[in-house]
């Protein structure tokens, strides 16, 4: 077809065709409905609130069932999230419901980082959806969509306004998820206090720029109810799974010594409003907002981070191929730079180690030389000492020999006079003996003569 033909064709007025009879494409919405019903739906609720604030009870009350509940402890070191998925069915509509609860929220002394695990969890769900989207073989319809569609933020009924933890957390989450704030355990506050608390909370949210979910008012069918419900935020809720007989009806209520609080009585609390808005009127809008607003924002930031752009600086549209090539080149340059850096680092490290080893070798060598010198000196000293000792030994031996010789000579010289002495001594003894005997004889004879004289 030539260019002129196209212009002519474009200038032609649109032709309106009149149907001759019923064709049947008005059944398209029905086809869509039956297809969606067959596929089933997924809906994911995130409950953020302090331990024991009534999260599980409210979920049980909302879905009129008892989900498995695990009581949280007040001694968790950090906040973590616990997702639980249930397959529900009402009429012929199947719903894959995931309830994610915060565990340990508000229990730490330092609460600065409490919002982080929640943010990370929400991002992780977006990430896994994006990964599925970017797969060559993708099956978005069959994969379980775990993106959070609604965050119910539980505000404690005690206190005069929001805590800083509430404000910080909601502020961090508002661009990631639809937030509906609820005042938990509303039966513990008087009506006038509740009204004041609601006004205070809303004014604080506005003054801190926290964007909460607004029920949509574009669709005429729900515009009125939604705009009226927007004025009731934050909803003051009461949860209970207890059936109590009121009049001749069994209702969900909390019994007190002075009376009962009926969960589904709009004069007692906003539970019914919440259920209507969340499940009956705006469930699809919540799912849509999650996809079109929050996920879209996440996806855009992520793809931009990865280098994808819709337009280049000259405002020409970028093709995927060009973006891929540009990113690949950038990546290769980066890789080469990193490789070069690593190589240089390795070479430097080797050089450093080599220098260190050389230094050590030199030290060892010096030490060896020193030891060798010491050893030689010691050896020399010992040699010296040995020589001295040998000399001393020789001198001693010489003296010994001389002494022995001298002694031998002395002994020989002394042996003659010794014999003469012996003889002399013998003679002397004989002489003495003889003289003694003579003296004795004289003495005896002298004694006898005296004796005779006397007689
Ligand atoms: P964790 O999972 O342990 O963090 O607690 P939770 O936030 O799930 O609270 P849960 O639903 O287990 O309720 C804790 C206590 O609060 C229970 O004793 C409930 O009966 C009570 N409770 C729950 N909802 C309400 C309510 O609306 N009003 C009052 N007064 N008490 C409630
Ligand atoms: Mg719980």
């Amino acid at each position: 077809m030539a260019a002129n033909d196209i212009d002519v064709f474009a200038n032609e007025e649109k032709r309106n065709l009149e149907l001759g009879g019923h064709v049947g494409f008005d059944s398209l919405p029905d086809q869509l409905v039956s297809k969606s019903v067959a596929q089933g739906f997924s809906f994911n609720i995130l409950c953020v609130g302090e331990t024991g604030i009534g999260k599980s009870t409210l979920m049980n009350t909302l879905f009129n069932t008892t989900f498995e509940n695990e009581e949280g402890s007040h001694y968790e070191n950090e906040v973590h999230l616990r997702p639980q998925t249930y397959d529900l069915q009402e009429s012929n509509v199947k719903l894959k419901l995931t309830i994610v609860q915060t565990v340990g929220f508000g229990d730490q002394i330092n609460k600065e980082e409490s919002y982080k695990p929640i943010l990370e969890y929400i991002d992780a769900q977006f990430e896994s959806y994006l990964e599925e989207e970017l797969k060559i073989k993708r099956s978005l319809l069959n994969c379980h969509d775990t993106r959070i569609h609604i965050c119910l933020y539980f505000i404690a009924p005690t206190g005069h306004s929001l805590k800083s933890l509430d404000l910080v957390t909601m502020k961090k989450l508002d661009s990631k998820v639809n937030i509906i704030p609820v005042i938990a355990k509303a039966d513990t506050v008087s009506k006038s206090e509740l009204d004041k608390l609601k006004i205070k909370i809303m004014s604080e949210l506005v003054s801190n720029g926290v964007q909460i979910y607004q029920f949509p008012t574009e669709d005429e069918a729900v515009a009125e109810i939604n705009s009226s419900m927007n004025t009731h935020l934050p909803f003051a809720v009461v949860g209970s799974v207890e059936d109590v007989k009121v009049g001749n009806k069994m209702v969900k209520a909390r019994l007190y010594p002075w009376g009962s609080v009926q969960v589904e009585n709009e004069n007692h609390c906003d539970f019914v409003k919440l259920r209507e808005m969340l499940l009956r009127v705006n469930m699809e809008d919540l799912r849509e907002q999650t996809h079109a607003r929050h996920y879209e924002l996440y996806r855009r930031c992520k793809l931009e981070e990865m280098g994808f752009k819709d337009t280049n600086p000259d405002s020409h549209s970028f093709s995927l191929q060009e973006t891929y090539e540009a990113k690949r080149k950038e990546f290769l340059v980066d890789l080469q730079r990193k490789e070069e850096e690593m190589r240089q680092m390795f070479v430097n490290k080797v050089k450093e180690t080599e220098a260190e080893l050389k230094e050590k070798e030199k030290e060892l060598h010096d030490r060896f030389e020193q030891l060798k010198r010491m050893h030689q000196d010691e050896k020399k000293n010992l040699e010296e000492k040995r020589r001295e000792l040998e000399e001393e030994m020789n001198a001693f031996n010489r003296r010994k020999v001389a002494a022995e010789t001298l002694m031998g000579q002395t002994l020989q010289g002394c042996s003659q006079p010794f014999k003469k002495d012996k003889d002399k001594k013998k003679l002397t003894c004989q002489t003495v003996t003889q003289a003694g005997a003579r003296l004795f004889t004289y003495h005896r004879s002298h004694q006898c003569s005296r004796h005779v004289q006397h007689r």
Side-chain angles (χ1 to χ4, degrees):
M1 194 187 283
N4 284 349
D5 294 341
I6 296 171
D7 288 344
V8 170
F9 189 71
N11 291 335
E12 258 180 37
E13 269 186 21
K14 269 187 201 164
R15 288 182 303 155
N16 282 323
L17 286 178
E18 290 284 324
L19 288 179
H22 186 246
V23 177
F25 60 74
D26 58 355
S27 71
L28 195 56
D30 299 333
Q31 291 172 38
L32 263 177
V33 168
S34 62
K35 201 172 168 188
S36 300
V37 166
Q39 262 169 8
F41 300 89
S42 67
F43 193 63
N44 308 316
I45 304 177
L46 168 66
C47 297
V48 180
E50 293 165 18
T51 307
I53 203 166
K55 302 183 288 290
S56 305
T57 311
L58 189 75
M59 287 300 106
N60 290 343
T61 321
L62 262 181
F63 291 93
N64 198 20
T65 185
T66 310
F67 300 116
E68 62 253 53
N69 292 332
E70 210 179 290
E71 264 185 34
S73 108
H74 288 284
Y75 304 103
E76 298 284 343
N77 288 333
E78 53 186 33
V79 179
H80 66 268
L81 285 99
R82 191 179 57 218
Q84 277 165 329
T85 301
Y86 309 92
D87 288 307
L88 307 180
Q89 185 159 355
E90 196 171 54
S91 308
N92 62 339
V93 178
K94 283 182 257 163
L95 181 72
K96 205 180 244 311
L97 175 74
T98 301
I99 298 173
V100 187
Q101 303 218 14
T102 54
V103 179
F105 187 75
D107 285 330
Q108 293 74 37
I109 294 170
N110 183 355
K111 300 181 181 69
E112 256 176 48
E113 310 267 276
S114 295
Y115 72 89
K116 272 194 179 162
I118 308 173
L119 209 67
E120 281 165 12
Y121 181 87
I122 295 172
D123 277 349
Q125 311 319 307
F126 284 150
E127 184 63 34
S128 70
Y129 192 84
L130 182 63
E131 272 172 21
E132 188 61 43
E133 239 185 18
L134 296 177
K135 273 184 190 168
I136 293 174
K137 264 190 182 178
R138 55 188 186 166
S139 57
L140 285 170
L141 287 178
N142 295 331
C143 86
H144 178 205
D145 180 7
T146 54
R147 293 171 299 173
I148 298 294
H149 300 119
I150 176 72
C151 163
L152 287 178
Y153 194 94
F154 289 69
I155 300 164
T158 49
H160 307 292
S161 60
L162 288 171
K163 294 177 187 167
S164 50
L165 172 68
D166 301 328
L167 273 174
V168 169
T169 311
M170 281 196 261
K171 183 83 197 133
K172 294 280 180 192
L173 298 185
D174 70 355
S175 61
K176 300 268 175 192
V177 68
N178 303 312
I179 301 176
I180 296 184
V182 294
I183 300 172
K185 300 189 181 180
D187 54 322
T188 57
V189 208
S190 75
K191 191 166 169 19
S192 61
E193 279 174 345
L194 197 62
D195 292 342
K196 268 193 226 157
L197 188 60
K198 276 191 177 189
I199 294 168
K200 190 88 205 266
I201 289 170
M202 285 315 282
S203 79
E204 278 191 345
L205 289 176
V206 171
S207 60
N208 286 284
V210 179
Q211 290 276 317
I212 58 167
Y213 175 72
Q214 293 290 309
F215 302 117
T217 50
E218 294 86 42
D219 184 355
E220 273 177 29
V222 290
E224 199 182 329
I225 184 168
N226 275 357
S227 54
S228 131
M229 287 299 157
N230 279 332
T231 62
H232 282 92
L233 287 169
F235 292 135
V237 294
V238 175
S240 175
V241 282
E242 217 179 309
D243 289 309
V244 178
K245 194 160 186 184
V246 176
N248 52 6
K249 260 197 343 188
M250 291 301 281
V251 292
K252 294 258 178 285
R254 296 189 74 84
L255 269 185
Y256 294 103
W258 56 88
S260 64
V261 179
Q262 294 166 34
V263 170
E264 294 182 4
N265 185 334
E266 288 202 50
N267 291 323
H268 290 193
C269 70
D270 299 331
F271 173 80
V272 173
K273 292 187 182 79
L274 174 70
R275 191 175 60 191
E276 287 280 298
M277 289 293 97
L278 192 65
L279 305 181
R280 208 176 63 80
V281 183
N282 294 307
M283 202 175 194
E284 185 48 28
D285 185 68
L286 286 164
R287 285 159 39 89
E288 225 175 84
Q289 291 278 330
T290 302
H291 184 74
R293 202 169 130 220
H294 302 300
Y295 172 66
E296 208 51 35
L297 181 65
Y298 176 85
R299 183 180 170 277
R300 200 180 70 210
C301 295
K302 198 74 190 178
L303 291 184
E304 276 175 2
E305 211 177 274
M306 285 160 76
F308 292 101
K309 289 184 205 105
D310 288 335
T311 52
N312 67 10
D314 314 323
S315 289
H316 295 312
S317 64
F318 242 82
S319 79
L320 196 67
Q321 182 65 28
E322 275 175 34
T323 311
Y324 170 73
E325 286 297 336
K327 198 71 199 162
R328 193 164 174 270
K329 253 186 220 158
E330 205 180 290
F331 175 74
L332 282 176
V333 170
D334 200 40
L335 195 76
Q336 265 174 0
R337 188 180 50 78
K338 279 199 178 128
E339 230 176 64
E340 183 55 32
E341 268 175 22
M342 276 177 72
R343 203 183 60 78
Q344 198 54 44
M345 223 162 75
F346 180 72
V347 169
N348 288 347
K349 201 89 197 150
V350 168
K351 272 186 190 162
E352 262 174 42
T353 318
E354 238 175 45
E356 268 172 31
L357 281 173
K358 267 190 186 147
E359 186 68 24
K360 285 243 162 68
E361 196 184 324
K362 194 173 162 296
E363 267 175 32
L364 278 173
H365 194 261
D366 288 353
R367 180 103 186 104
F368 173 73
E369 285 296 322
Q370 193 190 0
L371 283 172
K372 205 167 126 186
R373 270 200 307 276
M374 272 165 65
H375 174 73
Q376 274 172 353
D377 287 352
E378 229 162 84
K379 199 173 154 190
K380 221 155 94 185
N381 283 347
L382 282 173
E383 285 289 331
E384 190 74 22
K385 274 204 177 120
R386 199 174 76 136
R387 224 181 46 248
E388 278 173 18
L389 278 173
E390 268 175 10
E391 269 174 23
E392 255 175 53
M393 231 161 78
N394 287 343
F396 175 77
N397 282 341
R398 275 199 305 276
R399 277 204 300 276
K400 190 178 154 198
V401 170
E404 275 172 2
T405 319
L406 196 67
M407 207 144 88
Q409 281 173 0
T410 315
L411 281 175
Q412 254 180 7
C414 283
S415 61
Q416 288 298 329
F418 182 68
K419 207 178 165 187
K420 276 179 193 166
D421 274 359
K422 244 171 126 181
D423 291 347
K424 214 186 223 171
K425 268 183 192 163
K426 205 173 165 184
L427 196 67
T428 314
C429 281
Q430 276 173 357
T431 317
V432 169
T433 315
Q434 281 167 5
R438 269 198 307 273
L439 190 64
F440 179 71
T441 314
Y442 163 75
H443 189 72
R444 287 280 293 180
S445 62
H446 193 69
Q447 262 185 346
C448 285
S449 68
R450 265 198 306 179
H451 185 70
V452 170
Q453 271 177 6
H454 182 71
R455 281 214 320 206

